[in-house]
Amino acid sequence: MNRDKILITGAHGQLGIELVTLLESTECEVYGYGRNEMDITDFEQVNDIIDRVRPTVIIHAAAYTRVDDAESEIDQAFLVNAYGTRNVAVAAQKVDAKLVYISTDYVFDGNSHEPYNEFVAPSPINVYGKSKWAGERFVADLHSKFFIVRTSWVYGKHGNNFVKTMLKLGQKQKELFVVDDQIGCPTYAVDLAAQIFQLIQTEKYGIYHVSNSGSCSWYEFAKAIFEETGLIVRLEQCKTKDYPRPAARPLYSVLEPMALRLNGFKELRHWREALKEFIGLYEVES
């Protein structure tokens, strides 16, 4: 990867910042673009910037991620997640850059009771998931050297996420209700960025499920957060139906990293180990 040029969209987001930080510590040239620097929905702008930079790798992390708002902002969700991704894929193909597209566990319906591997057909149940699945298809149809990276329940130092929300609420409230019937895989943004770096150093293209090992419910995740911090909070279990949201959530979206395993990559550490590291760093900096 020495002297490779890597262009990152969504560079100011939760994962984007971790990618920029990691890659700038290598010998790569890093070009990070946020929404104000590159509007991925502007076909000409995307083409012009990518043609000028001529990166060898593009990591496309920009996305419309407001899951509930997407139900009423359908056009915007598909404009960004589907056609924005098409724009990046077309421009990446023109300059022969490897392309990484960050996707989601929400491409699955959650009706399974077994982890989803990369060969299970997607069947999204909300607008966000459908728009990200449309983005996946544009990548596969329009690009020849791609990594589609599906991940889930991402948290880290930057941006808004479940861990930071629980820590804030836990300092203000002594009782919290958290759903126990949605099961998934928490993913530490630092670990996700590190695995993406491993992928782009190869030509082992395809779809990859990248989350920390193991699975839990949101309730179990919250319980672990408070155990690691020592915050005394009374947690009560509740059901998804008790707190209806505009967008349906898959009740079971555990990702199996079959592609990592079969392509000789090491699976990510257990989510609890990653959480412990994050909490330690977060408390030091707070």
Side-chain angles (χ1 to χ4, degrees), residues 170-226:
Q171 292 170 346
K172 299 175 183 176
Q173 300 172 216
K174 293 307 173 188
E175 183 179 54
L176 293 171
F177 288 83
V178 182
V179 295
D180 67 354
D181 58 350
Q182 292 179 34
I183 312 296
C185 306
T187 306
Y188 185 21
V190 169
D191 291 353
L192 176 57
Q195 185 58 62
I196 291 169
F197 181 52
Q198 292 298 314
L199 288 173
I200 63 176
Q201 295 178 74
T202 76
E203 295 182 344
K204 296 179 179 180
Y205 304 118
I207 300 172
Y208 287 85
H209 288 174
V210 182
S211 291
N212 285 105
S213 302
S215 62
C216 62
S217 67
W218 287 114
Y219 170 80
E220 290 169 326
F221 193 16
K223 189 167 180 283
I225 292 165
F226 294 127

Short mmCIF file of all heavy atoms in Angstrom, two decimals, residues 170-226:
data_model
loop_
_atom_site.label_atom_id
_atom_site.label_comp_id
_atom_site.label_asym_id
_atom_site.label_seq_id
_atom_site.Cartn_x
_atom_site.Cartn_y
_atom_site.Cartn_z
N GLY A 170 -27.14 7.34 31.25
CA GLY A 170 -26.80 6.69 32.51
C GLY A 170 -26.32 7.66 33.58
O GLY A 170 -26.40 7.38 34.78
N GLN A 171 -25.82 8.80 33.14
CA GLN A 171 -25.37 9.82 34.09
C GLN A 171 -26.52 10.69 34.57
O GLN A 171 -26.40 11.40 35.58
CB GLN A 171 -24.28 10.68 33.44
CG GLN A 171 -22.99 9.92 33.18
CD GLN A 171 -22.00 10.69 32.32
OE1 GLN A 171 -22.37 11.69 31.70
NE2 GLN A 171 -20.76 10.25 32.27
N LYS A 172 -27.65 10.65 33.86
CA LYS A 172 -28.79 11.50 34.20
C LYS A 172 -29.96 10.72 34.80
O LYS A 172 -30.72 11.25 35.61
CB LYS A 172 -29.29 12.23 32.94
CG LYS A 172 -28.27 13.14 32.29
CD LYS A 172 -28.83 13.71 30.99
CE LYS A 172 -27.81 14.58 30.27
NZ LYS A 172 -28.33 15.06 28.95
N GLN A 173 -30.10 9.47 34.37
CA GLN A 173 -31.25 8.68 34.79
C GLN A 173 -30.79 7.41 35.51
O GLN A 173 -29.75 6.85 35.18
CB GLN A 173 -32.10 8.29 33.56
CG GLN A 173 -32.63 9.49 32.80
CD GLN A 173 -33.30 9.11 31.49
OE1 GLN A 173 -33.20 9.81 30.50
NE2 GLN A 173 -34.01 7.99 31.48
N LYS A 174 -31.58 6.97 36.45
CA LYS A 174 -31.25 5.76 37.21
C LYS A 174 -32.04 4.55 36.74
O LYS A 174 -31.84 3.45 37.23
CB LYS A 174 -31.48 6.00 38.72
CG LYS A 174 -30.50 7.02 39.31
CD LYS A 174 -29.05 6.65 38.99
CE LYS A 174 -28.07 7.72 39.40
NZ LYS A 174 -26.70 7.43 38.91
N GLU A 175 -32.93 4.77 35.78
CA GLU A 175 -33.71 3.66 35.23
C GLU A 175 -33.87 3.86 33.73
O GLU A 175 -34.24 4.96 33.28
CB GLU A 175 -35.08 3.55 35.90
CG GLU A 175 -35.89 2.36 35.41
CD GLU A 175 -37.24 2.26 36.11
OE1 GLU A 175 -37.99 3.27 36.09
OE2 GLU A 175 -37.55 1.20 36.67
N LEU A 176 -33.60 2.82 32.96
CA LEU A 176 -33.73 2.90 31.51
C LEU A 176 -34.41 1.64 30.98
O LEU A 176 -34.18 0.53 31.50
CB LEU A 176 -32.34 3.02 30.85
CG LEU A 176 -31.55 4.30 31.09
CD1 LEU A 176 -30.14 4.14 30.54
CD2 LEU A 176 -32.24 5.49 30.44
N PHE A 177 -35.23 1.81 29.97
CA PHE A 177 -35.86 0.68 29.29
C PHE A 177 -35.14 0.46 27.95
O PHE A 177 -34.99 1.41 27.16
CB PHE A 177 -37.33 0.96 29.04
CG PHE A 177 -38.17 0.92 30.29
CD1 PHE A 177 -38.26 2.05 31.12
CD2 PHE A 177 -38.85 -0.23 30.66
CE1 PHE A 177 -39.02 2.02 32.28
CE2 PHE A 177 -39.61 -0.26 31.82
CZ PHE A 177 -39.71 0.86 32.64
N VAL A 178 -34.71 -0.77 27.70
CA VAL A 178 -33.98 -1.09 26.47
C VAL A 178 -34.56 -2.37 25.87
O VAL A 178 -34.80 -3.34 26.60
CB VAL A 178 -32.47 -1.27 26.74
CG1 VAL A 178 -31.72 -1.53 25.43
CG2 VAL A 178 -31.90 -0.04 27.44
N VAL A 179 -34.74 -2.37 24.56
CA VAL A 179 -35.35 -3.54 23.90
C VAL A 179 -34.45 -4.76 23.98
O VAL A 179 -33.22 -4.65 23.85
CB VAL A 179 -35.72 -3.24 22.43
CG1 VAL A 179 -36.80 -2.18 22.34
CG2 VAL A 179 -34.51 -2.83 21.62
N ASP A 180 -35.07 -5.92 24.20
CA ASP A 180 -34.31 -7.15 24.32
C ASP A 180 -34.61 -8.15 23.21
O ASP A 180 -34.14 -9.30 23.23
CB ASP A 180 -34.55 -7.81 25.68
CG ASP A 180 -35.98 -8.32 25.85
OD1 ASP A 180 -36.82 -8.07 24.96
OD2 ASP A 180 -36.25 -8.97 26.88
N ASP A 181 -35.42 -7.73 22.21
CA ASP A 181 -35.80 -8.68 21.15
C ASP A 181 -35.22 -8.30 19.79
O ASP A 181 -35.64 -8.82 18.76
CB ASP A 181 -37.32 -8.81 21.07
CG ASP A 181 -38.04 -7.49 20.80
OD1 ASP A 181 -37.39 -6.43 20.87
OD2 ASP A 181 -39.25 -7.53 20.52
N GLN A 182 -34.26 -7.39 19.78
CA GLN A 182 -33.47 -7.14 18.56
C GLN A 182 -32.05 -7.64 18.83
O GLN A 182 -31.41 -7.18 19.78
CB GLN A 182 -33.44 -5.65 18.21
CG GLN A 182 -34.78 -5.07 17.76
CD GLN A 182 -34.69 -3.58 17.46
OE1 GLN A 182 -33.67 -3.09 16.96
NE2 GLN A 182 -35.76 -2.85 17.74
N ILE A 183 -31.60 -8.56 17.99
CA ILE A 183 -30.30 -9.20 18.19
C ILE A 183 -29.37 -8.85 17.04
O ILE A 183 -29.76 -8.96 15.87
CB ILE A 183 -30.42 -10.73 18.27
CG1 ILE A 183 -31.54 -11.15 19.24
CG2 ILE A 183 -29.09 -11.37 18.65
CD1 ILE A 183 -31.30 -10.76 20.67
N GLY A 184 -28.15 -8.41 17.37
CA GLY A 184 -27.19 -8.06 16.32
C GLY A 184 -25.77 -8.13 16.81
O GLY A 184 -25.48 -8.73 17.86
N CYS A 185 -24.87 -7.50 16.08
CA CYS A 185 -23.44 -7.54 16.38
C CYS A 185 -22.90 -6.12 16.57
O CYS A 185 -22.79 -5.38 15.58
CB CYS A 185 -22.65 -8.19 15.24
SG CYS A 185 -23.21 -9.81 14.73
N PRO A 186 -22.57 -5.71 17.79
CA PRO A 186 -21.92 -4.41 17.97
C PRO A 186 -20.57 -4.39 17.24
O PRO A 186 -19.86 -5.39 17.20
CB PRO A 186 -21.72 -4.34 19.49
CG PRO A 186 -22.72 -5.29 20.07
CD PRO A 186 -22.81 -6.40 19.06
N THR A 187 -20.23 -3.24 16.68
CA THR A 187 -18.98 -3.12 15.93
C THR A 187 -18.25 -1.84 16.31
O THR A 187 -18.80 -0.74 16.18
CB THR A 187 -19.25 -3.11 14.41
OG1 THR A 187 -20.03 -4.25 14.06
CG2 THR A 187 -17.95 -3.13 13.63
N TYR A 188 -17.02 -1.99 16.76
CA TYR A 188 -16.18 -0.86 17.14
C TYR A 188 -15.57 -0.27 15.87
O TYR A 188 -14.93 -0.97 15.09
CB TYR A 188 -15.10 -1.36 18.09
CG TYR A 188 -14.19 -0.31 18.70
CD1 TYR A 188 -14.55 1.03 18.78
CD2 TYR A 188 -12.94 -0.68 19.21
CE1 TYR A 188 -13.71 1.97 19.35
CE2 TYR A 188 -12.09 0.25 19.79
CZ TYR A 188 -12.47 1.57 19.86
OH TYR A 188 -11.65 2.50 20.42
N ALA A 189 -15.79 1.02 15.64
CA ALA A 189 -15.35 1.67 14.40
C ALA A 189 -13.85 1.50 14.15
O ALA A 189 -13.42 1.39 13.00
CB ALA A 189 -15.72 3.15 14.43
N VAL A 190 -13.06 1.48 15.20
CA VAL A 190 -11.61 1.30 15.06
C VAL A 190 -11.30 -0.07 14.45
O VAL A 190 -10.46 -0.20 13.56
CB VAL A 190 -10.91 1.45 16.43
CG1 VAL A 190 -9.46 0.99 16.36
CG2 VAL A 190 -10.99 2.90 16.90
N ASP A 191 -12.00 -1.11 14.92
CA ASP A 191 -11.78 -2.45 14.39
C ASP A 191 -12.28 -2.57 12.95
O ASP A 191 -11.66 -3.25 12.12
CB ASP A 191 -12.50 -3.48 15.27
CG ASP A 191 -11.87 -3.62 16.65
OD1 ASP A 191 -10.79 -3.03 16.87
OD2 ASP A 191 -12.44 -4.32 17.50
N LEU A 192 -13.39 -1.92 12.66
CA LEU A 192 -13.93 -1.93 11.30
C LEU A 192 -12.96 -1.27 10.33
O LEU A 192 -12.68 -1.80 9.24
CB LEU A 192 -15.28 -1.20 11.29
CG LEU A 192 -15.97 -1.02 9.94
CD1 LEU A 192 -16.20 -2.35 9.24
CD2 LEU A 192 -17.30 -0.27 10.14
N ALA A 193 -12.41 -0.12 10.71
CA ALA A 193 -11.44 0.58 9.87
C ALA A 193 -10.21 -0.29 9.62
O ALA A 193 -9.69 -0.35 8.49
CB ALA A 193 -11.04 1.91 10.50
N ALA A 194 -9.74 -0.96 10.66
CA ALA A 194 -8.54 -1.80 10.53
C ALA A 194 -8.78 -2.95 9.56
O ALA A 194 -7.90 -3.31 8.77
CB ALA A 194 -8.12 -2.34 11.90
N GLN A 195 -9.99 -3.53 9.60
CA GLN A 195 -10.30 -4.64 8.69
C GLN A 195 -10.42 -4.15 7.24
O GLN A 195 -9.99 -4.83 6.31
CB GLN A 195 -11.58 -5.34 9.10
CG GLN A 195 -11.90 -6.58 8.28
CD GLN A 195 -10.79 -7.61 8.33
OE1 GLN A 195 -10.48 -8.13 9.39
NE2 GLN A 195 -10.18 -7.90 7.19
N ILE A 196 -10.99 -2.96 7.06
CA ILE A 196 -11.06 -2.40 5.71
C ILE A 196 -9.66 -2.19 5.15
O ILE A 196 -9.40 -2.47 3.97
CB ILE A 196 -11.86 -1.08 5.73
CG1 ILE A 196 -13.34 -1.37 6.03
CG2 ILE A 196 -11.73 -0.33 4.41
CD1 ILE A 196 -14.18 -0.14 6.35
N PHE A 197 -8.75 -1.73 5.99
CA PHE A 197 -7.36 -1.54 5.56
C PHE A 197 -6.75 -2.88 5.12
O PHE A 197 -6.02 -2.94 4.13
CB PHE A 197 -6.55 -0.92 6.69
CG PHE A 197 -5.10 -0.66 6.34
CD1 PHE A 197 -4.76 0.05 5.20
CD2 PHE A 197 -4.08 -1.13 7.14
CE1 PHE A 197 -3.42 0.29 4.86
CE2 PHE A 197 -2.74 -0.90 6.82
CZ PHE A 197 -2.42 -0.19 5.68
N GLN A 198 -7.07 -3.95 5.84
CA GLN A 198 -6.57 -5.27 5.45
C GLN A 198 -7.14 -5.68 4.09
O GLN A 198 -6.42 -6.22 3.24
CB GLN A 198 -6.96 -6.31 6.51
CG GLN A 198 -6.27 -6.15 7.85
CD GLN A 198 -4.76 -6.29 7.76
OE1 GLN A 198 -4.24 -7.21 7.13
NE2 GLN A 198 -4.05 -5.35 8.37
N LEU A 199 -8.41 -5.43 3.87
CA LEU A 199 -9.05 -5.82 2.62
C LEU A 199 -8.44 -5.12 1.42
O LEU A 199 -8.15 -5.76 0.39
CB LEU A 199 -10.55 -5.52 2.67
CG LEU A 199 -11.42 -6.40 3.56
CD1 LEU A 199 -12.83 -5.83 3.63
CD2 LEU A 199 -11.46 -7.83 3.06
N ILE A 200 -8.23 -3.81 1.53
CA ILE A 200 -7.80 -3.05 0.35
C ILE A 200 -6.36 -3.34 -0.05
O ILE A 200 -5.93 -2.94 -1.13
CB ILE A 200 -8.00 -1.53 0.54
CG1 ILE A 200 -7.15 -1.00 1.69
CG2 ILE A 200 -9.47 -1.21 0.74
CD1 ILE A 200 -7.24 0.51 1.88
N GLN A 201 -5.65 -4.05 0.78
CA GLN A 201 -4.29 -4.45 0.41
C GLN A 201 -4.30 -5.72 -0.44
O GLN A 201 -3.23 -6.24 -0.80
CB GLN A 201 -3.45 -4.66 1.67
CG GLN A 201 -3.23 -3.39 2.47
CD GLN A 201 -2.43 -3.62 3.74
OE1 GLN A 201 -1.22 -3.83 3.70
NE2 GLN A 201 -3.11 -3.59 4.87
N THR A 202 -5.48 -6.24 -0.74
CA THR A 202 -5.61 -7.48 -1.52
C THR A 202 -6.45 -7.24 -2.78
O THR A 202 -6.97 -6.15 -2.99
CB THR A 202 -6.30 -8.58 -0.70
OG1 THR A 202 -7.71 -8.30 -0.63
CG2 THR A 202 -5.72 -8.65 0.72
N GLU A 203 -6.58 -8.29 -3.55
CA GLU A 203 -7.52 -8.28 -4.68
C GLU A 203 -8.59 -9.35 -4.47
O GLU A 203 -9.17 -9.88 -5.42
CB GLU A 203 -6.76 -8.52 -5.98
CG GLU A 203 -5.79 -7.39 -6.32
CD GLU A 203 -5.08 -7.60 -7.64
OE1 GLU A 203 -5.08 -8.73 -8.16
OE2 GLU A 203 -4.51 -6.60 -8.16
N LYS A 204 -8.88 -9.63 -3.23
CA LYS A 204 -9.89 -10.63 -2.87
C LYS A 204 -11.26 -9.96 -2.81
O LYS A 204 -11.87 -9.80 -1.75
CB LYS A 204 -9.54 -11.31 -1.55
CG LYS A 204 -8.23 -12.10 -1.62
CD LYS A 204 -7.88 -12.74 -0.28
CE LYS A 204 -6.59 -13.55 -0.37
NZ LYS A 204 -6.23 -14.17 0.92
N TYR A 205 -11.74 -9.56 -3.97
CA TYR A 205 -12.95 -8.75 -4.07
C TYR A 205 -14.21 -9.55 -3.71
O TYR A 205 -14.22 -10.77 -3.74
CB TYR A 205 -13.08 -8.18 -5.48
CG TYR A 205 -11.87 -7.39 -5.92
CD1 TYR A 205 -11.10 -7.79 -7.01
CD2 TYR A 205 -11.47 -6.25 -5.23
CE1 TYR A 205 -9.99 -7.06 -7.41
CE2 TYR A 205 -10.37 -5.51 -5.62
CZ TYR A 205 -9.62 -5.93 -6.71
OH TYR A 205 -8.52 -5.21 -7.10
N GLY A 206 -15.27 -8.83 -3.38
CA GLY A 206 -16.54 -9.46 -3.09
C GLY A 206 -17.26 -8.81 -1.92
O GLY A 206 -16.94 -7.69 -1.52
N ILE A 207 -18.24 -9.52 -1.41
CA ILE A 207 -19.04 -9.04 -0.27
C ILE A 207 -18.45 -9.61 1.01
O ILE A 207 -18.12 -10.78 1.09
CB ILE A 207 -20.51 -9.48 -0.41
CG1 ILE A 207 -21.12 -8.90 -1.70
CG2 ILE A 207 -21.32 -9.03 0.81
CD1 ILE A 207 -22.51 -9.44 -2.01
N TYR A 208 -18.33 -8.75 2.03
CA TYR A 208 -17.79 -9.17 3.33
C TYR A 208 -18.70 -8.68 4.46
O TYR A 208 -19.18 -7.56 4.43
CB TYR A 208 -16.39 -8.58 3.55
CG TYR A 208 -15.31 -9.23 2.72
CD1 TYR A 208 -15.07 -8.80 1.40
CD2 TYR A 208 -14.54 -10.27 3.22
CE1 TYR A 208 -14.10 -9.39 0.63
CE2 TYR A 208 -13.55 -10.87 2.45
CZ TYR A 208 -13.33 -10.43 1.15
OH TYR A 208 -12.36 -11.03 0.39
N HIS A 209 -18.90 -9.56 5.43
CA HIS A 209 -19.59 -9.17 6.66
C HIS A 209 -18.52 -8.89 7.71
O HIS A 209 -17.76 -9.78 8.09
CB HIS A 209 -20.53 -10.28 7.12
CG HIS A 209 -21.75 -10.41 6.27
ND1 HIS A 209 -22.69 -11.42 6.42
CD2 HIS A 209 -22.20 -9.63 5.23
CE1 HIS A 209 -23.65 -11.25 5.53
NE2 HIS A 209 -23.37 -10.18 4.80
N VAL A 210 -18.48 -7.63 8.17
CA VAL A 210 -17.42 -7.21 9.09
C VAL A 210 -18.04 -6.58 10.33
O VAL A 210 -18.47 -5.42 10.32
CB VAL A 210 -16.45 -6.23 8.42
CG1 VAL A 210 -15.34 -5.84 9.39
CG2 VAL A 210 -15.85 -6.83 7.15
N SER A 211 -18.12 -7.36 11.40
CA SER A 211 -18.57 -6.89 12.70
C SER A 211 -17.73 -7.60 13.75
O SER A 211 -17.11 -8.63 13.46
CB SER A 211 -20.05 -7.21 12.93
OG SER A 211 -20.87 -6.44 12.07
N ASN A 212 -17.72 -7.06 14.94
CA ASN A 212 -17.02 -7.78 16.00
C ASN A 212 -17.71 -9.12 16.25
O ASN A 212 -18.91 -9.28 16.00
CB ASN A 212 -16.98 -6.95 17.29
CG ASN A 212 -15.96 -5.83 17.21
OD1 ASN A 212 -16.32 -4.66 17.07
ND2 ASN A 212 -14.68 -6.15 17.29
N SER A 213 -16.96 -10.10 16.73
CA SER A 213 -17.48 -11.45 16.94
C SER A 213 -18.53 -11.47 18.06
O SER A 213 -18.55 -10.61 18.93
CB SER A 213 -16.34 -12.40 17.30
OG SER A 213 -15.36 -12.42 16.29
N GLY A 214 -19.36 -12.50 18.01
CA GLY A 214 -20.41 -12.63 19.02
C GLY A 214 -21.62 -11.80 18.68
O GLY A 214 -21.63 -11.05 17.70
N SER A 215 -22.67 -11.93 19.47
CA SER A 215 -23.90 -11.18 19.25
C SER A 215 -24.59 -10.94 20.59
O SER A 215 -24.26 -11.57 21.59
CB SER A 215 -24.83 -11.94 18.31
OG SER A 215 -25.21 -13.19 18.88
N CYS A 216 -25.56 -10.03 20.58
CA CYS A 216 -26.28 -9.69 21.80
C CYS A 216 -27.53 -8.91 21.42
O CYS A 216 -27.70 -8.49 20.28
CB CYS A 216 -25.40 -8.88 22.75
SG CYS A 216 -24.87 -7.28 22.08
N SER A 217 -28.39 -8.71 22.40
CA SER A 217 -29.53 -7.81 22.22
C SER A 217 -29.09 -6.40 22.62
O SER A 217 -28.05 -6.21 23.25
CB SER A 217 -30.70 -8.25 23.10
OG SER A 217 -30.38 -8.07 24.48
N TRP A 218 -29.91 -5.42 22.27
CA TRP A 218 -29.61 -4.05 22.71
C TRP A 218 -29.59 -3.98 24.24
O TRP A 218 -28.78 -3.26 24.83
CB TRP A 218 -30.65 -3.07 22.16
CG TRP A 218 -30.54 -2.78 20.70
CD1 TRP A 218 -31.45 -3.10 19.72
CD2 TRP A 218 -29.47 -2.10 20.02
NE1 TRP A 218 -30.99 -2.67 18.50
CE2 TRP A 218 -29.80 -2.04 18.65
CE3 TRP A 218 -28.27 -1.53 20.45
CZ2 TRP A 218 -28.97 -1.45 17.70
CZ3 TRP A 218 -27.44 -0.93 19.50
CH2 TRP A 218 -27.79 -0.89 18.15
N TYR A 219 -30.47 -4.74 24.88
CA TYR A 219 -30.50 -4.77 26.35
C TYR A 219 -29.18 -5.32 26.89
O TYR A 219 -28.59 -4.74 27.82
CB TYR A 219 -31.67 -5.63 26.82
CG TYR A 219 -31.65 -5.92 28.31
CD1 TYR A 219 -32.10 -4.98 29.24
CD2 TYR A 219 -31.16 -7.14 28.79
CE1 TYR A 219 -32.06 -5.24 30.61
CE2 TYR A 219 -31.12 -7.41 30.15
CZ TYR A 219 -31.57 -6.46 31.05
OH TYR A 219 -31.52 -6.73 32.40
N GLU A 220 -28.70 -6.42 26.33
CA GLU A 220 -27.44 -7.01 26.79
C GLU A 220 -26.27 -6.09 26.50
O GLU A 220 -25.32 -6.01 27.29
CB GLU A 220 -27.23 -8.36 26.09
CG GLU A 220 -28.19 -9.44 26.55
CD GLU A 220 -28.16 -10.68 25.68
OE1 GLU A 220 -27.95 -10.55 24.45
OE2 GLU A 220 -28.37 -11.78 26.22
N PHE A 221 -26.35 -5.38 25.40
CA PHE A 221 -25.31 -4.41 25.05
C PHE A 221 -25.27 -3.28 26.09
O PHE A 221 -24.21 -2.92 26.61
CB PHE A 221 -25.58 -3.86 23.65
CG PHE A 221 -24.46 -3.09 23.01
CD1 PHE A 221 -23.15 -3.16 23.49
CD2 PHE A 221 -24.71 -2.28 21.90
CE1 PHE A 221 -22.12 -2.44 22.88
CE2 PHE A 221 -23.69 -1.55 21.29
CZ PHE A 221 -22.40 -1.64 21.79
N ALA A 222 -26.45 -2.75 26.42
CA ALA A 222 -26.52 -1.68 27.42
C ALA A 222 -26.02 -2.18 28.78
O ALA A 222 -25.28 -1.47 29.48
CB ALA A 222 -27.96 -1.19 27.54
N LYS A 223 -26.39 -3.39 29.14
CA LYS A 223 -25.96 -3.97 30.42
C LYS A 223 -24.43 -4.04 30.48
O LYS A 223 -23.81 -3.70 31.49
CB LYS A 223 -26.57 -5.37 30.56
CG LYS A 223 -26.40 -6.02 31.92
CD LYS A 223 -27.31 -7.25 32.01
CE LYS A 223 -27.18 -7.93 33.35
NZ LYS A 223 -25.94 -8.73 33.46
N ALA A 224 -23.82 -4.46 29.38
CA ALA A 224 -22.36 -4.55 29.32
C ALA A 224 -21.71 -3.18 29.42
O ALA A 224 -20.67 -3.01 30.08
CB ALA A 224 -21.93 -5.24 28.01
N ILE A 225 -22.32 -2.18 28.80
CA ILE A 225 -21.78 -0.81 28.85
C ILE A 225 -21.72 -0.33 30.29
O ILE A 225 -20.70 0.20 30.74
CB ILE A 225 -22.65 0.15 27.99
CG1 ILE A 225 -22.51 -0.19 26.50
CG2 ILE A 225 -22.26 1.61 28.25
CD1 ILE A 225 -23.57 0.44 25.62
N PHE A 226 -22.79 -0.54 31.03
CA PHE A 226 -22.83 -0.07 32.42
C PHE A 226 -21.94 -0.91 33.33
O PHE A 226 -21.37 -0.39 34.29
CB PHE A 226 -24.27 -0.01 32.92
CG PHE A 226 -25.10 1.02 32.19
CD1 PHE A 226 -26.31 0.68 31.61
CD2 PHE A 226 -24.65 2.33 32.07
CE1 PHE A 226 -27.06 1.63 30.93
CE2 PHE A 226 -25.39 3.28 31.39
CZ PHE A 226 -26.61 2.93 30.82
#
